[in-house]
Amino acid sequence: MNNRNMKNKHMILGVTLGNNFGTHPATWRMPHVDPRSYTNIDATVEQARTAERGGLQFVFLPDRLFMNGDLSTAPSMFNMDPIITLSAVAQATERIGLMGTASTSFTEPYLLARQLKVLDVISRGRAGWNAVPSYEPDAFANFGKVLPPRENKYERLHETMQVVQALWGSWGYEAGQPDQAGMYADPAHIRPVNLQGKHVGARGPLPVPPSEQGQPVIMMPASSGYGLQAAGMYANVVIGMPSSIEESRAIRHTVRQAAAQAGRDPEEIKYVAFVGYTVGDTERQALNARRALDDRIDVHGQLSRLSAYLGLHEELTLPDEPLTAAQLASVRAHPNDARSVRAVELAKAGWSPRDILAHGVFDPNPYVAGTAEQVADHLQEWFEAGAADGFVTNFDDFHTGIGDFVDRVVPILRERGLFHDGYEGKTLRDHLGLPPQYGFDPRIATGSTGGTR
């Protein structure tokens, strides 16, 4: 498999959750959907259980710390606090990992460390932290602050990451287990961290012992500059949003290089890419499912955008008809935009403008509307090309999409030897094939990146 290490012979699969409806803004309008399920934890639990039934390694709850979007047309994708939500999900699941976003820009590291480690203990070692600095002015406004310079955000991120991990490790394994004839725990191995930086600090220790996996898995987004350096230093998992195999392979290589430059083994860091799918009995059926959602929103603006993407200087006035011979002779793809290239390919293959849109050409991640075999083919192509160690799946409709993927695509991936047959371990580190870690990684040199003292 393209010289892939044997320990990576199986792909990692996670699923994005959010507002209990789906990633498409019109899902809440569908007849089979309860429009009041926006904050219904039972719906979230059911989606997580479906993913667990398929052996997916984790569910992922992204977050933004402000109200986004126009509530008159669609609910916000980001609503409930991820860590609190995942604490509820932890009690209703047994094996699946629980990955939640928490910003390093606002919460003090002692509170972050406690909340995340408690989630890890509650879930018996299944917690993960998507650690991100906030970048939106609206988020800073919600904390009575203004957006700081980029370098200041990353100074605080470095300090927070170091303090949080030091606090996680402040209750040492050597403290032992409670002995009713002796000590509850050996205080000589539960020690303050006494770290203070320019932005944050903490004395410690944290009154929470190790979980079954020691401490939460850390995920960070693929980025450049300051963000790439941080991911190379701290992340166990890096998540990206590439448009093509070539771009994804390049990101994975860059991330691994950053880990090596930080003094870590690149094999210890997993790179996963966002993807999106709609599964149908036929490609036509899958496209119709996407079109049924598109019918409930105004796609006029998207049609105008598609015209520009195809290099046309005219409106697409027949959205349900293939492009004319004259139009096809004029289409041009933008050489630096993979989505534009894809749109042109679909137009030349005879798809109508609305079908081109239903193929997800404007989605922020690669998207396939097709049969279970076509979806499996897409995952296999990317995985065997070395473009990613795994994928975080997105679905227009959480109610149907996750189940369709689990029941129809996962069995094909297993038949092809690309996905595990079931959970072998119990912790998120087990699921992801990550080495043990407890406390701050001693291999990392903090240097001048905002380290604490």
Side-chain angles (χ1 to χ4, degrees):
M1 295 181 66
N2 283 5
N3 297 318
R4 296 183 65 89
N5 189 295
M6 281 302 292
K7 65 185 175 184
N8 289 332
K9 67 177 181 177
H10 290 151
M11 65 179 67
I12 296 164
L13 289 175
V15 60
T16 303
L17 302 182
N19 59 15
N20 287 335
F21 298 120
T23 59
H24 196 287
T27 304
W28 72 278
R29 296 183 183 274
M30 299 301 288
H32 65 276
V33 173
D34 179 357
R36 298 165 297 181
S37 62
Y38 181 60
T39 54
N40 184 352
I41 191 63
D42 293 335
T44 313
V45 164
E46 182 61 28
Q47 292 155 16
R49 282 176 169 170
T50 301
E52 185 173 60
R53 176 164 55 80
L56 273 63
Q57 280 89 346
F58 63 90
V59 295
F60 170 47
L61 275 178
D63 195 24
R64 288 185 180 175
L65 293 168
F66 64 97
M67 180 73 72
N68 67 309
D70 180 0
L71 287 179
S72 68
T73 60
S76 173
M77 181 66 185
F78 314 101
N79 54 345
M80 305 270 273
D81 180 272
I83 307 307
I84 295 176
T85 301
L86 290 174
S87 295
V89 174
Q91 295 298 289
T93 55
E94 296 180 357
R95 292 293 186 91
I96 196 163
L98 310 169
M99 188 79 71
T101 300
S103 173
T104 61
S105 297
F106 309 111
T107 307
E108 292 300 313
Y110 185 89
L111 184 56
L112 268 177
R114 185 174 68 167
Q115 290 175 332
L116 290 161
K117 198 174 184 187
V118 167
L119 174 62
D120 205 29
V121 170
I122 287 173
S123 64
R124 295 180 172 83
R126 293 186 285 134
W129 174 27
N130 181 41
V132 295
S134 294
Y135 62 90
E136 311 96 336
D138 287 346
F140 280 85
N142 280 337
F143 290 85
K145 300 181 179 182
V146 296
L147 184 67
R150 181 175 171 83
E151 59 269 22
N152 287 5
K153 288 192 299 176
Y154 277 95
E155 280 181 354
R156 180 180 169 113
L157 178 142
H158 281 285
E159 292 181 8
T160 299
M161 299 303 296
Q162 292 165 32
V163 174
V164 164
Q165 291 187 81
L167 287 166
W168 282 346
S170 62
W171 185 306
Y173 281 105
E174 300 83 358
Q177 298 296 317
D179 179 1
Q180 289 183 319
M183 291 190 297
Y184 180 79
D186 185 348
H189 297 287
I190 305 172
R191 298 177 176 176
V193 299
N194 291 324
L195 292 172
Q196 184 61 52
K198 177 181 176 182
H199 301 274
V200 297
R203 184 182 66 180
L206 195 69
V208 185
S211 76
E212 277 84 337
Q213 68 174 355
Q215 67 186 37
V217 169
I218 294 175
M219 183 165 76
M220 300 181 77
S223 185
S224 59
Y226 295 117
L228 177 63
Q229 180 194 40
M233 292 174 66
Y234 310 118
N236 307 119
V237 180
V238 172
I239 188 167
M241 196 174 288
S243 298
S244 66
I245 286 177
E246 294 73 23
E247 182 185 0
S248 191
R249 189 190 290 119
I251 294 172
R252 182 173 182 266
H253 176 70
T254 301
V255 165
R256 290 167 62 87
Q257 279 188 317
Q261 290 168 2
R264 301 169 63 200
D265 180 355
E267 291 295 329
E268 295 179 10
I269 193 166
K270 307 297 182 183
Y271 170 67
V272 295
F274 278 115
V275 289
Y277 300 113
T278 295
V279 183
D281 292 335
T282 64
E283 185 175 7
R284 178 73 267 164
Q285 186 188 70
L287 290 170
N288 286 345
R290 178 65 177 253
R291 285 182 55 161
L293 291 166
D294 288 343
D295 284 346
R296 287 167 168 80
I297 61 174
D298 181 9
V299 296
H300 178 76
Q302 289 192 339
L303 288 169
S304 297
R305 184 182 176 192
L306 178 61
S307 178
Y309 249 52
L310 295 172
L312 300 174
H313 301 287
E314 59 185 90
E315 290 293 318
L316 296 168
T317 56
L318 299 173
D320 291 311
E321 299 293 331
L323 271 63
T324 66
Q327 288 173 324
L328 289 173
S330 301
V331 297
R332 297 289 185 274
H334 193 290
N336 297 322
D337 192 325
R339 292 180 297 178
S340 175
V341 173
R342 176 68 172 150
V344 169
E345 290 175 350
L346 291 166
K348 291 184 174 180
W351 294 102
S352 71
R354 288 185 65 212
D355 282 337
I356 295 173
L357 292 177
H359 274 92
V361 293
F362 292 143
D363 282 27
N365 45 253
Y367 175 86
V368 173
T371 64
E373 289 77 12
Q374 286 175 303
V375 171
D377 289 346
H378 184 260
L379 286 164
Q380 181 171 4
E381 180 184 13
W382 278 59
F383 184 64
E384 293 188 340
D389 299 298
F391 306 90
V392 179
T393 53
N394 289 278
F395 298 102
D396 291 336
D397 186 339
F398 296 151
H399 304 77
T400 59
I402 301 172
D404 285 343
F405 184 85
V406 162
D407 295 331
R408 304 172 74 173
V409 179
V410 166
I412 296 173
L413 296 174
R414 286 176 170 162
E415 289 172 5
R416 297 179 183 181
L418 296 167
F419 191 59
H420 68 181
D421 289 328
Y423 300 111
E424 295 181 1
K426 295 182 178 180
T427 71
L428 182 53
R429 287 183 187 276
D430 292 337
H431 303 341
L432 301 178
L434 296 172
Q437 182 180 345
Y438 194 59
F440 188 72
D441 190 336
R443 296 172 296 181
I444 305 300
T446 59
S448 58
T449 56
T452 56
R453 63 184 187 275

